[in-house]
Amino acid sequence: MNMKIDKYEKIGKDKYRLYLSNGEVIDTYDNVILDNELLLKKELDNYLYNKVLNETSFYDKYNIALNYIKVRLRSTKEIKDYLIRKKIELEDIEAVIDKLTKTNNLNDDYFSKCFIKDKFRFTSWGPYRIKQELKKLGVDDEYINNNINVISSEEIDEKLDKVINKQIKSNHGKLDNYKLRNKIYANLVKLGYDASYVINILDEYL
């Protein structure tokens, strides 16, 4: 039995409410309306009715993920874990991830570049720590190793200079040079800087 669409009502950004001739109301998305040419057909047979419901359900889940990404960039693993917590079926999660990837809303290569730049700029983390955190976020080693090079050796030297000078100034003579050097060394290695490189740099200060 075919159902006519008696009325369209905009209920939010990209969302519409469809009033059907049988009294049913469907809240769906403009993508569903456009993809199925509902503005032209204005009528649903059983096949199209079920198709609209299925696509609406998909976009409900897709927008959950998209809104999560809008807060900040996410890795593929972060999105998958988030949707699992939302009790979404694995098959649907894979479909959402596939669409997010195709629309370039999800891109682990780009995500890793931005993550590396932000963490190096706004924290004291060194390259090794940043790489470890990206691995925890499920980013492929190839992306990590290729993109970690966005941090130049000059930038690393500048960051180390700031961190070392800050710790030397905050010491106020509490530790002798030997103990202070060891403390700074341990801290920088923990932050993710190369141990041998740190030793060489510290020779210039202590």
Side-chain angles (χ1 to χ4, degrees), residues 32-48:
V32 177
I33 291 172
L34 294 173
D35 290 347
N36 292 286
E37 299 180 338
L38 297 184
L39 293 174
L40 297 175
K41 296 175 182 176
K42 296 188 178 181
E43 189 172 84
L44 304 176
D45 57 19
N46 285 336
Y47 170 78
L48 188 54

Side-chain angles (χ1 to χ4, degrees), residues 49-64:
Y49 170 78
N50 288 321
K51 188 170 182 284
V52 167
L53 291 183
N54 289 334
E55 290 180 8
T56 299
S57 176
F58 170 78
Y59 275 104
D60 285 339
K61 297 159 188 170
Y62 176 79
N63 281 300
I64 288 173

Side-chain angles (χ1 to χ4, degrees), residues 177-190:
N177 281 1
Y178 176 76
K179 290 181 179 179
L180 179 59
R181 178 189 172 95
N182 286 341
K183 180 182 178 181
I184 295 174
Y185 167 81
N187 183 46
L188 290 175
V189 171
K190 184 178 180 181

Side-chain angles (χ1 to χ4, degrees), residues 3-200:
M3 292 163 281
K4 291 184 178 179
I5 302 174
D6 290 335
K7 181 182 176 183
Y8 301 85
E9 180 184 356
K10 189 171 180 62
I11 58 173
K13 184 181 179 183
D14 304 328
K15 290 202 74 174
Y16 285 84
R17 181 164 289 157
L18 308 183
Y19 294 87
L20 306 185
S21 56
N22 66 349
E24 187 174 352
V25 176
I26 299 175
D27 290 344
T28 190
Y29 299 88
D30 55 359
N31 283 341
V32 177
I33 291 172
L34 294 173
D35 290 347
N36 292 286
E37 299 180 338
L38 297 184
L39 293 174
L40 297 175
K41 296 175 182 176
K42 296 188 178 181
E43 189 172 84
L44 304 176
D45 57 19
N46 285 336
Y47 170 78
L48 188 54
Y49 170 78
N50 288 321
K51 188 170 182 284
V52 167
L53 291 183
N54 289 334
E55 290 180 8
T56 299
S57 176
F58 170 78
Y59 275 104
D60 285 339
K61 297 159 188 170
Y62 176 79
N63 281 300
I64 288 173
L66 193 59
N67 289 332
Y68 190 52
I69 292 172
K70 286 179 180 178
V71 176
R72 68 164 176 80
L73 288 178
R74 310 282 178 176
S75 69
T76 300
K77 182 180 184 299
E78 283 184 284
I79 291 297
K80 186 172 183 178
D81 291 346
Y82 179 70
L83 295 179
I84 288 173
R85 293 197 298 272
K86 291 292 184 179
K87 310 298 183 184
I88 295 175
E89 295 293 328
L90 188 60
E91 182 179 351
D92 292 327
I93 291 174
E94 295 301 329
V96 167
I97 288 175
D98 182 61
K99 184 172 181 62
L100 287 169
T101 302
K102 287 179 178 177
T103 55
N104 210 33
N105 286 297
L106 196 59
N107 184 325
D108 279 1
D109 185 19
Y110 180 70
F111 168 79
S112 63
K113 288 178 184 176
C114 295
F115 186 92
I116 290 166
K117 289 179 181 178
D118 285 351
K119 291 303 178 184
F120 190 75
R121 181 179 178 185
F122 297 113
T123 74
S124 296
W125 291 2
Y128 291 164
R129 173 72 183 277
I130 294 172
K131 289 170 71 173
Q132 286 174 350
E133 294 300 320
L134 281 170
K135 286 183 179 181
K136 290 179 185 178
L137 294 172
V139 177
D140 190 275
D141 283 343
E142 182 180 357
Y143 294 143
I144 297 173
N145 293 330
N146 286 341
N147 294 326
I148 199 67
N149 291 325
V150 299
I151 306 174
S152 69
S153 58
E154 290 80 8
E155 289 175 312
I156 293 175
D157 287 345
E158 288 177 13
K159 178 62 69 68
L160 286 172
D161 180 67
K162 289 179 181 179
V163 174
I164 292 170
N165 276 315
K166 182 178 180 180
Q167 293 194 34
I168 290 174
K169 289 177 182 178
S170 64
N171 182 51
H172 300 301
K174 297 174 185 176
L175 300 175
D176 61 36
N177 281 1
Y178 176 76
K179 290 181 179 179
L180 179 59
R181 178 189 172 95
N182 286 341
K183 180 182 178 181
I184 295 174
Y185 167 81
N187 183 46
L188 290 175
V189 171
K190 184 178 180 181
L191 284 171
Y193 294 92
D194 180 76
S196 59
Y197 194 74
V198 169
I199 290 172
N200 290 332

